[in-house]
Amino acid sequence: MTLDLSGQTALVTGASRGIGEAIARVLAEAGATVAVHYANSADAARAVAEACGNGAQTFQADLSDLDAADGLIAQVTDTLGGLHVLVNNAGVAVSAPIDASTSDWNEAWTRTMAVNLQAPELLCRHAIRHFQARGGGRIVNIASRAAHRGDTPDYIAYAASKAGVVALTKSLARGFGTDNIKAFTVAPGFTRTDMAQDFIDTYGEEYATHDLALSTLTEPDDIAPTVAFLASGLADHATGTTIDINAGSYVH
Ligand code: NAP
């Protein structure tokens, strides 16, 4: 079995660091030309693109700005000549305590929903139209264990946004399978990145590890190969599925 993405172009959002960086590197190792998207970390994104090789290029867009999100697919297809794989990975975890002011609460929900759900659905929409014209394509959306089990009271918005990603992906798989478009969700548990570090700083390392079946916290490199496998075409008949990667916390 060979995992071969040569001749394919893949957009990975939030590829400047964390899980997205690992996904970009693995897709490139499999031969893809990667569009390395970032919001603020221009230098880090450039370093990822250089490490990827294969003509990888960086693309900037703040996905809390829905106009910027709306234009990203066209930027990538204009620059790289097409798109075969979309990985919606960029995400934010914004705290909104139950006793926050209404304006702080609404701001946290608005930002969370924009980056984690509305930007992905806009990117999916444009990718699907491009894929329809090109004979097909694949989408991998990164959700979270929180989509299934909820989250702590401060991160209700985060869990709700990720549950939306799961439903979005299933609808795309149902609606566009006959256009040769496949859509998958990958739902990580705690994974060692800047985002997880914020949780660990707040709740302690024990909070991230106490309910794992495995003895170590998941690393970005534990997530990325599954994304590449889904993107490769070797798992097309699993379209609509959600793959949990959470160090066995559901069976612990
Ligand atoms: P991370 O280390 O915090 O990295 C976040 C990435 O998203 C960065 O590339 C960042 O770009 C980008 N990003 C942040 N805000 C953005 C915005 N407004 N517009 C565009 N891009 C933005 O996060 P991660 O842990 O790798 O998370 C990646 C995905 O996995 C997210 O969807 C997250 O919800 C999900 N996830 C993570 C965990 C975990 O424990 N780490 C668990 C479950 C699910 P810049 O570098 O340019 O800011």
Side-chain angles (χ1 to χ4, degrees):
M1 186 178 81
T2 309
L3 205 153
D4 182 13
L5 286 165
S6 53
Q8 303 222 16
T9 299
L11 167 60
V12 182
T13 66
S16 47
R17 54 199 167 94
I19 294 170
E21 174 182 354
I23 293 170
R25 287 174 185 265
V26 169
L27 293 178
E29 268 172 45
T33 296
V34 180
V36 176
H37 160 267
Y38 68 99
N40 301 302
S41 309
D43 291 346
R46 255 193 307 275
V48 173
E50 270 167 34
C52 285
N54 298 342
Q57 294 206 33
T58 61
F59 295 84
Q60 193 280 337
D62 180 345
L63 298 179
S64 64
D65 171 356
L66 296 183
D67 288 337
D70 202 47
L72 182 58
I73 296 288
Q75 270 183 53
V76 171
T77 55
D78 288 353
T79 308
L80 296 177
L83 186 70
H84 304 87
V85 174
L86 167 64
V87 181
N88 273 307
N89 164 80
V92 288
V94 184
S95 174
I98 200 82
D99 56 358
S101 68
T102 299
S103 69
D104 286 354
W105 175 270
N106 286 343
E107 198 179 293
W109 273 79
T110 300
R111 184 169 161 69
T112 302
M113 287 297 166
V115 177
N116 291 5
L117 183 55
Q118 284 189 275
E121 57 82 359
L122 281 171
L123 292 169
C124 286
R125 179 170 116 85
H126 289 295
I128 283 170
R129 294 171 63 146
H130 181 80
F131 294 160
Q132 283 173 324
R134 295 283 190 112
R138 298 185 181 86
I139 294 170
V140 184
N141 289 330
I142 308 299
S144 168
R145 186 176 66 152
H148 307 303
R149 73 195 290 263
D151 212 316
T152 59
D154 288 354
Y155 291 95
I156 298 169
Y158 178 79
S161 71
K162 294 300 188 177
V165 168
V166 174
L168 165 70
T169 312
K170 287 180 178 171
S171 297
L172 301 182
R174 282 181 65 160
F176 300 101
T178 53
D179 292 333
N180 201 26
I181 294 167
K182 291 91 182 181
F184 312 90
T185 304
V186 170
F190 269 116
T191 307
R192 198 178 295 284
T193 67
D194 296 342
M195 182 184 285
Q197 196 57 50
D198 291 344
F199 280 87
I200 290 167
D201 290 347
T202 306
Y203 301 109
E205 175 102 11
E206 162 71 7
Y207 179 79
T209 55
H210 77 277
D211 58 359
L212 307 183
L214 301 182
S215 53
T216 55
L217 199 60
T218 303
E219 301 284 340
D221 285 345
D222 296 314
I223 309 286
T226 299
V227 176
F229 175 59
L230 295 171
S232 72
L234 291 170
D236 279 353
H237 281 250
T239 191
T241 203
T242 301
I243 298 191
D244 298 306
I245 305 177
N246 57 35
S249 60
Y250 283 156
V251 292
H252 186 250

PDB file of all heavy atoms in Angstrom, residues 74-108:
ATOM      1  N   ALA A  74      -9.988  30.955  -3.434  1.00  0.00           N
ATOM      2  CA  ALA A  74      -9.647  31.549  -4.742  1.00  0.00           C
ATOM      3  C   ALA A  74      -8.182  31.957  -4.788  1.00  0.00           C
ATOM      4  O   ALA A  74      -7.503  31.748  -5.805  1.00  0.00           O
ATOM      5  CB  ALA A  74     -10.555  32.754  -5.011  1.00  0.00           C
ATOM      6  N   GLN A  75      -7.673  32.491  -3.681  1.00  0.00           N
ATOM      7  CA  GLN A  75      -6.242  32.856  -3.637  1.00  0.00           C
ATOM      8  C   GLN A  75      -5.376  31.626  -3.888  1.00  0.00           C
ATOM      9  O   GLN A  75      -4.398  31.678  -4.629  1.00  0.00           O
ATOM     10  CB  GLN A  75      -5.894  33.370  -2.241  1.00  0.00           C
ATOM     11  CG  GLN A  75      -6.054  34.849  -2.021  1.00  0.00           C
ATOM     12  CD  GLN A  75      -5.589  35.179  -0.595  1.00  0.00           C
ATOM     13  OE1 GLN A  75      -4.475  34.831  -0.205  1.00  0.00           O
ATOM     14  NE2 GLN A  75      -6.451  35.810   0.163  1.00  0.00           N
ATOM     15  N   VAL A  76      -5.736  30.528  -3.233  1.00  0.00           N
ATOM     16  CA  VAL A  76      -4.925  29.305  -3.354  1.00  0.00           C
ATOM     17  C   VAL A  76      -5.029  28.734  -4.771  1.00  0.00           C
ATOM     18  O   VAL A  76      -4.015  28.387  -5.387  1.00  0.00           O
ATOM     19  CB  VAL A  76      -5.370  28.250  -2.304  1.00  0.00           C
ATOM     20  CG1 VAL A  76      -4.686  26.910  -2.554  1.00  0.00           C
ATOM     21  CG2 VAL A  76      -5.070  28.756  -0.899  1.00  0.00           C
ATOM     22  N   THR A  77      -6.247  28.656  -5.291  1.00  0.00           N
ATOM     23  CA  THR A  77      -6.395  28.043  -6.622  1.00  0.00           C
ATOM     24  C   THR A  77      -5.763  28.927  -7.698  1.00  0.00           C
ATOM     25  O   THR A  77      -5.166  28.423  -8.645  1.00  0.00           O
ATOM     26  CB  THR A  77      -7.878  27.758  -6.954  1.00  0.00           C
ATOM     27  OG1 THR A  77      -8.624  28.961  -6.815  1.00  0.00           O
ATOM     28  CG2 THR A  77      -8.455  26.696  -6.037  1.00  0.00           C
ATOM     29  N   ASP A  78      -5.859  30.254  -7.536  1.00  0.00           N
ATOM     30  CA  ASP A  78      -5.218  31.159  -8.507  1.00  0.00           C
ATOM     31  C   ASP A  78      -3.700  30.986  -8.480  1.00  0.00           C
ATOM     32  O   ASP A  78      -3.040  31.000  -9.523  1.00  0.00           O
ATOM     33  CB  ASP A  78      -5.551  32.627  -8.199  1.00  0.00           C
ATOM     34  CG  ASP A  78      -7.003  32.958  -8.538  1.00  0.00           C
ATOM     35  OD1 ASP A  78      -7.683  32.084  -9.117  1.00  0.00           O
ATOM     36  OD2 ASP A  78      -7.449  34.065  -8.189  1.00  0.00           O
ATOM     37  N   THR A  79      -3.149  30.847  -7.258  1.00  0.00           N
ATOM     38  CA  THR A  79      -1.689  30.782  -7.124  1.00  0.00           C
ATOM     39  C   THR A  79      -1.131  29.406  -7.483  1.00  0.00           C
ATOM     40  O   THR A  79      -0.101  29.299  -8.156  1.00  0.00           O
ATOM     41  CB  THR A  79      -1.274  31.130  -5.670  1.00  0.00           C
ATOM     42  OG1 THR A  79      -1.883  32.370  -5.324  1.00  0.00           O
ATOM     43  CG2 THR A  79       0.233  31.235  -5.530  1.00  0.00           C
ATOM     44  N   LEU A  80      -1.817  28.361  -7.019  1.00  0.00           N
ATOM     45  CA  LEU A  80      -1.256  27.009  -7.170  1.00  0.00           C
ATOM     46  C   LEU A  80      -1.913  26.216  -8.295  1.00  0.00           C
ATOM     47  O   LEU A  80      -1.538  25.079  -8.562  1.00  0.00           O
ATOM     48  CB  LEU A  80      -1.363  26.244  -5.843  1.00  0.00           C
ATOM     49  CG  LEU A  80      -0.545  26.851  -4.680  1.00  0.00           C
ATOM     50  CD1 LEU A  80      -0.766  26.073  -3.395  1.00  0.00           C
ATOM     51  CD2 LEU A  80       0.951  26.890  -5.014  1.00  0.00           C
ATOM     52  N   GLY A  81      -2.913  26.822  -8.942  1.00  0.00           N
ATOM     53  CA  GLY A  81      -3.479  26.193 -10.139  1.00  0.00           C
ATOM     54  C   GLY A  81      -4.594  25.205  -9.875  1.00  0.00           C
ATOM     55  O   GLY A  81      -5.106  24.592 -10.816  1.00  0.00           O
ATOM     56  N   GLY A  82      -4.991  25.035  -8.628  1.00  0.00           N
ATOM     57  CA  GLY A  82      -6.095  24.111  -8.328  1.00  0.00           C
ATOM     58  C   GLY A  82      -6.011  23.640  -6.903  1.00  0.00           C
ATOM     59  O   GLY A  82      -5.076  24.000  -6.167  1.00  0.00           O
ATOM     60  N   LEU A  83      -7.002  22.853  -6.505  1.00  0.00           N
ATOM     61  CA  LEU A  83      -7.036  22.313  -5.137  1.00  0.00           C
ATOM     62  C   LEU A  83      -7.675  20.930  -5.181  1.00  0.00           C
ATOM     63  O   LEU A  83      -8.699  20.733  -5.834  1.00  0.00           O
ATOM     64  CB  LEU A  83      -7.865  23.243  -4.232  1.00  0.00           C
ATOM     65  CG  LEU A  83      -7.870  22.890  -2.748  1.00  0.00           C
ATOM     66  CD1 LEU A  83      -6.505  23.168  -2.104  1.00  0.00           C
ATOM     67  CD2 LEU A  83      -8.946  23.693  -2.001  1.00  0.00           C
ATOM     68  N   HIS A  84      -7.049  19.986  -4.473  1.00  0.00           N
ATOM     69  CA  HIS A  84      -7.586  18.623  -4.400  1.00  0.00           C
ATOM     70  C   HIS A  84      -8.023  18.248  -2.995  1.00  0.00           C
ATOM     71  O   HIS A  84      -8.896  17.401  -2.822  1.00  0.00           O
ATOM     72  CB  HIS A  84      -6.533  17.612  -4.879  1.00  0.00           C
ATOM     73  CG  HIS A  84      -6.021  17.893  -6.261  1.00  0.00           C
ATOM     74  ND1 HIS A  84      -4.972  18.747  -6.505  1.00  0.00           N
ATOM     75  CD2 HIS A  84      -6.449  17.451  -7.465  1.00  0.00           C
ATOM     76  CE1 HIS A  84      -4.756  18.809  -7.811  1.00  0.00           C
ATOM     77  NE2 HIS A  84      -5.639  18.045  -8.419  1.00  0.00           N
ATOM     78  N   VAL A  85      -7.367  18.864  -1.996  1.00  0.00           N
ATOM     79  CA  VAL A  85      -7.622  18.493  -0.592  1.00  0.00           C
ATOM     80  C   VAL A  85      -7.729  19.772   0.242  1.00  0.00           C
ATOM     81  O   VAL A  85      -6.882  20.656   0.128  1.00  0.00           O
ATOM     82  CB  VAL A  85      -6.457  17.630  -0.036  1.00  0.00           C
ATOM     83  CG1 VAL A  85      -6.645  17.374   1.459  1.00  0.00           C
ATOM     84  CG2 VAL A  85      -6.330  16.324  -0.810  1.00  0.00           C
ATOM     85  N   LEU A  86      -8.773  19.834   1.062  1.00  0.00           N
ATOM     86  CA  LEU A  86      -8.910  20.938   2.022  1.00  0.00           C
ATOM     87  C   LEU A  86      -8.867  20.351   3.427  1.00  0.00           C
ATOM     88  O   LEU A  86      -9.648  19.444   3.742  1.00  0.00           O
ATOM     89  CB  LEU A  86     -10.254  21.659   1.825  1.00  0.00           C
ATOM     90  CG  LEU A  86     -10.671  22.614   2.950  1.00  0.00           C
ATOM     91  CD1 LEU A  86      -9.701  23.790   3.091  1.00  0.00           C
ATOM     92  CD2 LEU A  86     -12.102  23.125   2.718  1.00  0.00           C
ATOM     93  N   VAL A  87      -7.963  20.865   4.253  1.00  0.00           N
ATOM     94  CA  VAL A  87      -7.928  20.466   5.669  1.00  0.00           C
ATOM     95  C   VAL A  87      -8.238  21.701   6.507  1.00  0.00           C
ATOM     96  O   VAL A  87      -7.434  22.627   6.594  1.00  0.00           O
ATOM     97  CB  VAL A  87      -6.547  19.887   6.070  1.00  0.00           C
ATOM     98  CG1 VAL A  87      -6.577  19.461   7.545  1.00  0.00           C
ATOM     99  CG2 VAL A  87      -6.157  18.720   5.172  1.00  0.00           C
ATOM    100  N   ASN A  88      -9.423  21.709   7.098  1.00  0.00           N
ATOM    101  CA  ASN A  88      -9.813  22.801   7.999  1.00  0.00           C
ATOM    102  C   ASN A  88      -9.308  22.468   9.391  1.00  0.00           C
ATOM    103  O   ASN A  88      -9.928  21.685  10.120  1.00  0.00           O
ATOM    104  CB  ASN A  88     -11.343  22.946   8.025  1.00  0.00           C
ATOM    105  CG  ASN A  88     -11.851  23.839   6.926  1.00  0.00           C
ATOM    106  OD1 ASN A  88     -11.402  24.980   6.768  1.00  0.00           O
ATOM    107  ND2 ASN A  88     -12.781  23.318   6.139  1.00  0.00           N
ATOM    108  N   ASN A  89      -8.154  23.050   9.727  1.00  0.00           N
ATOM    109  CA  ASN A  89      -7.511  22.755  11.012  1.00  0.00           C
ATOM    110  C   ASN A  89      -7.463  23.959  11.950  1.00  0.00           C
ATOM    111  O   ASN A  89      -7.508  23.790  13.164  1.00  0.00           O
ATOM    112  CB  ASN A  89      -6.085  22.240  10.747  1.00  0.00           C
ATOM    113  CG  ASN A  89      -5.241  22.277  12.002  1.00  0.00           C
ATOM    114  OD1 ASN A  89      -5.332  21.396  12.852  1.00  0.00           O
ATOM    115  ND2 ASN A  89      -4.423  23.326  12.149  1.00  0.00           N
ATOM    116  N   ALA A  90      -7.363  25.181  11.410  1.00  0.00           N
ATOM    117  CA  ALA A  90      -7.213  26.364  12.271  1.00  0.00           C
ATOM    118  C   ALA A  90      -8.357  26.413  13.271  1.00  0.00           C
ATOM    119  O   ALA A  90      -9.508  26.112  12.939  1.00  0.00           O
ATOM    120  CB  ALA A  90      -7.201  27.631  11.430  1.00  0.00           C
ATOM    121  N   GLY A  91      -8.025  26.776  14.489  1.00  0.00           N
ATOM    122  CA  GLY A  91      -9.078  26.859  15.503  1.00  0.00           C
ATOM    123  C   GLY A  91      -8.634  27.696  16.680  1.00  0.00           C
ATOM    124  O   GLY A  91      -7.439  27.942  16.873  1.00  0.00           O
ATOM    125  N   VAL A  92      -9.618  28.146  17.442  1.00  0.00           N
ATOM    126  CA  VAL A  92      -9.330  28.896  18.671  1.00  0.00           C
ATOM    127  C   VAL A  92     -10.168  28.311  19.811  1.00  0.00           C
ATOM    128  O   VAL A  92     -11.252  27.775  19.589  1.00  0.00           O
ATOM    129  CB  VAL A  92      -9.657  30.403  18.526  1.00  0.00           C
ATOM    130  CG1 VAL A  92      -8.650  31.097  17.620  1.00  0.00           C
ATOM    131  CG2 VAL A  92     -11.079  30.630  18.024  1.00  0.00           C
ATOM    132  N   ALA A  93      -9.621  28.423  21.008  1.00  0.00           N
ATOM    133  CA  ALA A  93     -10.363  28.055  22.220  1.00  0.00           C
ATOM    134  C   ALA A  93     -10.426  29.324  23.070  1.00  0.00           C
ATOM    135  O   ALA A  93      -9.422  29.734  23.653  1.00  0.00           O
ATOM    136  CB  ALA A  93      -9.658  26.934  22.948  1.00  0.00           C
ATOM    137  N   VAL A  94     -11.573  29.967  23.061  1.00  0.00           N
ATOM    138  CA  VAL A  94     -11.740  31.257  23.748  1.00  0.00           C
ATOM    139  C   VAL A  94     -12.580  31.022  25.002  1.00  0.00           C
ATOM    140  O   VAL A  94     -13.696  30.506  24.915  1.00  0.00           O
ATOM    141  CB  VAL A  94     -12.452  32.274  22.824  1.00  0.00           C
ATOM    142  CG1 VAL A  94     -12.542  33.641  23.505  1.00  0.00           C
ATOM    143  CG2 VAL A  94     -11.743  32.385  21.486  1.00  0.00           C
ATOM    144  N   SER A  95     -12.036  31.419  26.141  1.00  0.00           N
ATOM    145  CA  SER A  95     -12.744  31.203  27.405  1.00  0.00           C
ATOM    146  C   SER A  95     -13.912  32.183  27.547  1.00  0.00           C
ATOM    147  O   SER A  95     -13.774  33.366  27.268  1.00  0.00           O
ATOM    148  CB  SER A  95     -11.753  31.401  28.559  1.00  0.00           C
ATOM    149  OG  SER A  95     -12.429  31.343  29.780  1.00  0.00           O
ATOM    150  N   ALA A  96     -15.064  31.659  27.976  1.00  0.00           N
ATOM    151  CA  ALA A  96     -16.230  32.515  28.244  1.00  0.00           C
ATOM    152  C   ALA A  96     -16.902  32.006  29.520  1.00  0.00           C
ATOM    153  O   ALA A  96     -17.796  31.167  29.471  1.00  0.00           O
ATOM    154  CB  ALA A  96     -17.207  32.464  27.067  1.00  0.00           C
ATOM    155  N   PRO A  97     -16.440  32.495  30.690  1.00  0.00           N
ATOM    156  CA  PRO A  97     -17.036  32.046  31.954  1.00  0.00           C
ATOM    157  C   PRO A  97     -18.509  32.434  32.037  1.00  0.00           C
ATOM    158  O   PRO A  97     -18.929  33.431  31.452  1.00  0.00           O
ATOM    159  CB  PRO A  97     -16.228  32.811  33.020  1.00  0.00           C
ATOM    160  CG  PRO A  97     -15.011  33.305  32.319  1.00  0.00           C
ATOM    161  CD  PRO A  97     -15.359  33.465  30.881  1.00  0.00           C
ATOM    162  N   ILE A  98     -19.274  31.640  32.758  1.00  0.00           N
ATOM    163  CA  ILE A  98     -20.723  31.824  32.831  1.00  0.00           C
ATOM    164  C   ILE A  98     -21.095  33.191  33.442  1.00  0.00           C
ATOM    165  O   ILE A  98     -22.143  33.756  33.146  1.00  0.00           O
ATOM    166  CB  ILE A  98     -21.370  30.653  33.631  1.00  0.00           C
ATOM    167  CG1 ILE A  98     -22.855  30.511  33.330  1.00  0.00           C
ATOM    168  CG2 ILE A  98     -21.116  30.756  35.118  1.00  0.00           C
ATOM    169  CD1 ILE A  98     -23.145  29.753  32.074  1.00  0.00           C
ATOM    170  N   ASP A  99     -20.183  33.739  34.277  1.00  0.00           N
ATOM    171  CA  ASP A  99     -20.477  35.031  34.913  1.00  0.00           C
ATOM    172  C   ASP A  99     -19.807  36.204  34.180  1.00  0.00           C
ATOM    173  O   ASP A  99     -19.722  37.313  34.707  1.00  0.00           O
ATOM    174  CB  ASP A  99     -20.052  35.015  36.387  1.00  0.00           C
ATOM    175  CG  ASP A  99     -18.583  34.656  36.557  1.00  0.00           C
ATOM    176  OD1 ASP A  99     -17.912  34.378  35.529  1.00  0.00           O
ATOM    177  OD2 ASP A  99     -18.102  34.649  37.705  1.00  0.00           O
ATOM    178  N   ALA A 100     -19.341  35.969  32.952  1.00  0.00           N
ATOM    179  CA  ALA A 100     -18.763  37.067  32.155  1.00  0.00           C
ATOM    180  C   ALA A 100     -19.858  38.081  31.824  1.00  0.00           C
ATOM    181  O   ALA A 100     -21.057  37.752  31.874  1.00  0.00           O
ATOM    182  CB  ALA A 100     -18.166  36.512  30.863  1.00  0.00           C
ATOM    183  N   SER A 101     -19.439  39.291  31.481  1.00  0.00           N
ATOM    184  CA  SER A 101     -20.441  40.281  31.033  1.00  0.00           C
ATOM    185  C   SER A 101     -21.056  39.771  29.724  1.00  0.00           C
ATOM    186  O   SER A 101     -20.431  38.989  28.993  1.00  0.00           O
ATOM    187  CB  SER A 101     -19.779  41.633  30.802  1.00  0.00           C
ATOM    188  OG  SER A 101     -18.920  41.560  29.687  1.00  0.00           O
ATOM    189  N   THR A 102     -22.248  40.243  29.437  1.00  0.00           N
ATOM    190  CA  THR A 102     -22.916  39.797  28.208  1.00  0.00           C
ATOM    191  C   THR A 102     -22.076  40.135  26.978  1.00  0.00           C
ATOM    192  O   THR A 102     -21.974  39.328  26.047  1.00  0.00           O
ATOM    193  CB  THR A 102     -24.313  40.434  28.103  1.00  0.00           C
ATOM    194  OG1 THR A 102     -25.062  40.010  29.228  1.00  0.00           O
ATOM    195  CG2 THR A 102     -25.032  40.014  26.833  1.00  0.00           C
ATOM    196  N   SER A 103     -21.428  41.308  26.994  1.00  0.00           N
ATOM    197  CA  SER A 103     -20.650  41.667  25.794  1.00  0.00           C
ATOM    198  C   SER A 103     -19.418  40.763  25.660  1.00  0.00           C
ATOM    199  O   SER A 103     -19.086  40.328  24.553  1.00  0.00           O
ATOM    200  CB  SER A 103     -20.275  43.149  25.795  1.00  0.00           C
ATOM    201  OG  SER A 103     -19.337  43.401  26.792  1.00  0.00           O
ATOM    202  N   ASP A 104     -18.757  40.420  26.798  1.00  0.00           N
ATOM    203  CA  ASP A 104     -17.600  39.510  26.718  1.00  0.00           C
ATOM    204  C   ASP A 104     -18.056  38.114  26.281  1.00  0.00           C
ATOM    205  O   ASP A 104     -17.389  37.444  25.485  1.00  0.00           O
ATOM    206  CB  ASP A 104     -16.893  39.408  28.075  1.00  0.00           C
ATOM    207  CG  ASP A 104     -16.093  40.661  28.387  1.00  0.00           C
ATOM    208  OD1 ASP A 104     -16.001  41.550  27.510  1.00  0.00           O
ATOM    209  OD2 ASP A 104     -15.578  40.766  29.512  1.00  0.00           O
ATOM    210  N   TRP A 105     -19.173  37.676  26.837  1.00  0.00           N
ATOM    211  CA  TRP A 105     -19.731  36.356  26.491  1.00  0.00           C
ATOM    212  C   TRP A 105     -20.024  36.296  24.987  1.00  0.00           C
ATOM    213  O   TRP A 105     -19.600  35.369  24.283  1.00  0.00           O
ATOM    214  CB  TRP A 105     -21.006  36.142  27.308  1.00  0.00           C
ATOM    215  CG  TRP A 105     -21.780  34.891  27.008  1.00  0.00           C
ATOM    216  CD1 TRP A 105     -22.782  34.756  26.090  1.00  0.00           C
ATOM    217  CD2 TRP A 105     -21.623  33.610  27.624  1.00  0.00           C
ATOM    218  NE1 TRP A 105     -23.257  33.474  26.110  1.00  0.00           N
ATOM    219  CE2 TRP A 105     -22.573  32.738  27.034  1.00  0.00           C
ATOM    220  CE3 TRP A 105     -20.783  33.108  28.624  1.00  0.00           C
ATOM    221  CZ2 TRP A 105     -22.704  31.401  27.403  1.00  0.00           C
ATOM    222  CZ3 TRP A 105     -20.917  31.766  28.991  1.00  0.00           C
ATOM    223  CH2 TRP A 105     -21.862  30.936  28.388  1.00  0.00           C
ATOM    224  N   ASN A 106     -20.734  37.322  24.486  1.00  0.00           N
ATOM    225  CA  ASN A 106     -21.104  37.332  23.062  1.00  0.00           C
ATOM    226  C   ASN A 106     -19.872  37.416  22.170  1.00  0.00           C
ATOM    227  O   ASN A 106     -19.821  36.778  21.109  1.00  0.00           O
ATOM    228  CB  ASN A 106     -22.041  38.497  22.753  1.00  0.00           C
ATOM    229  CG  ASN A 106     -23.442  38.257  23.294  1.00  0.00           C
ATOM    230  OD1 ASN A 106     -23.789  37.123  23.606  1.00  0.00           O
ATOM    231  ND2 ASN A 106     -24.228  39.313  23.416  1.00  0.00           N
ATOM    232  N   GLU A 107     -18.880  38.189  22.612  1.00  0.00           N
ATOM    233  CA  GLU A 107     -17.663  38.334  21.808  1.00  0.00           C
ATOM    234  C   GLU A 107     -16.939  36.983  21.695  1.00  0.00           C
ATOM    235  O   GLU A 107     -16.476  36.597  20.614  1.00  0.00           O
ATOM    236  CB  GLU A 107     -16.746  39.353  22.483  1.00  0.00           C
ATOM    237  CG  GLU A 107     -15.683  39.909  21.579  1.00  0.00           C
ATOM    238  CD  GLU A 107     -14.833  40.920  22.327  1.00  0.00           C
ATOM    239  OE1 GLU A 107     -15.356  41.986  22.693  1.00  0.00           O
ATOM    240  OE2 GLU A 107     -13.651  40.617  22.553  1.00  0.00           O
ATOM    241  N   ALA A 108     -16.870  36.274  22.824  1.00  0.00           N
ATOM    242  CA  ALA A 108     -16.194  34.954  22.810  1.00  0.00           C
ATOM    243  C   ALA A 108     -16.947  33.979  21.892  1.00  0.00           C
ATOM    244  O   ALA A 108     -16.325  33.244  21.110  1.00  0.00           O
ATOM    245  CB  ALA A 108     -16.115  34.394  24.229  1.00  0.00           C
TER     246      ALA A 108
END
